[in-house]
Amino acid sequence: MVVHYTGAMDVRLYLPTDREACLKIFDSNAPHAFSPDSRARFENFLDQAGATYFVMEHDGAVIGCGGYRIGPEPSLATLAWGMVRQDSQKLGLGRFLLMYRLREIGKPGGIERVRLETPQQSAAFFEGQGFKVVSMAHGRVEMVKKLTVCA
């Protein structure tokens, strides 16, 4: 089933009440995008503080989620657990959510690079958004993007 969205997407900070909706998004993408132990790691991530995490809504339904962490280097941000519901992919929503996160990362200033780790099958999407491959191992790809283009 393909869903077509009209109107605006709302992106807001994650709330604990969004947990089940985010897990459903994860499940809609598993097992092809995630390893078997990933769900437990994602659940743990949702239950812990320490990252800035967002949900993307359309007509009150959560259709995407993703966030970031600053560090360990002060000039480095790491993207965390970005995903769009399976039936809502290939509509530009993943790019919308990525651009939103990059904008938020850049707001305070001082962040020069954004890092991510993604399944190999998602690497082409991020390459298309300007990320460069740093390393590949065990079906995972580490990528980095320079956030600032001029000083």
Side-chain angles (χ1 to χ4, degrees):
M1 176 174 106
V2 175
V3 179
H4 298 280
Y5 295 100
T6 57
M9 293 291 139
D10 293 317
V11 180
R12 61 171 175 76
L13 286 171
Y14 169 85
L15 299 170
T17 54
D18 297 317
R19 186 178 194 275
E20 288 306 313
C22 291
L23 289 172
K24 284 182 182 178
I25 292 168
F26 178 93
D27 291 341
S28 78
N29 286 285
H32 63 275
F34 299 106
S35 64
D37 68 331
S38 294
R39 192 176 201 278
R41 289 187 300 116
F42 183 52
E43 288 182 71
N44 187 53
F45 171 85
L46 292 174
D47 295 338
Q48 302 295 317
T52 302
Y53 204 64
F54 303 100
V55 294
M56 182 170 54
E57 291 183 310
H58 184 265
D59 289 338
V62 176
I63 59 170
C65 49
Y68 66 90
R69 286 193 168 121
I70 304 297
E73 301 169 34
S75 63
L76 177 69
T78 301
L79 294 179
W81 293 105
M83 61 193 98
V84 173
R85 199 171 65 195
Q86 178 69 34
D87 67 353
S88 301
Q89 293 179 1
K90 307 290 185 205
L91 300 172
L93 301 177
R95 184 178 189 286
F96 178 86
L97 183 59
L98 173 63
M99 293 300 133
Y100 183 90
R101 293 188 291 162
L102 292 175
R103 186 191 72 178
E104 292 298 305
I105 289 168
K107 277 183 179 179
I111 302 298
E112 297 172 4
R113 294 174 299 125
V114 178
R115 170 197 178 279
L116 65 88
E117 186 179 303
T118 192
Q120 211 164 2
Q121 60 267 33
S122 300
F125 166 78
F126 290 104
E127 283 181 305
Q129 308 308 314
F131 284 83
K132 305 291 183 209
V133 174
V134 174
S135 66
M136 297 172 64
H138 310 291
R140 306 288 299 169
V141 181
E142 180 183 357
M143 306 179 87
V144 174
K145 177 183 177 82
K146 186 175 178 182
L147 192 60
T148 54
V149 290
C150 31

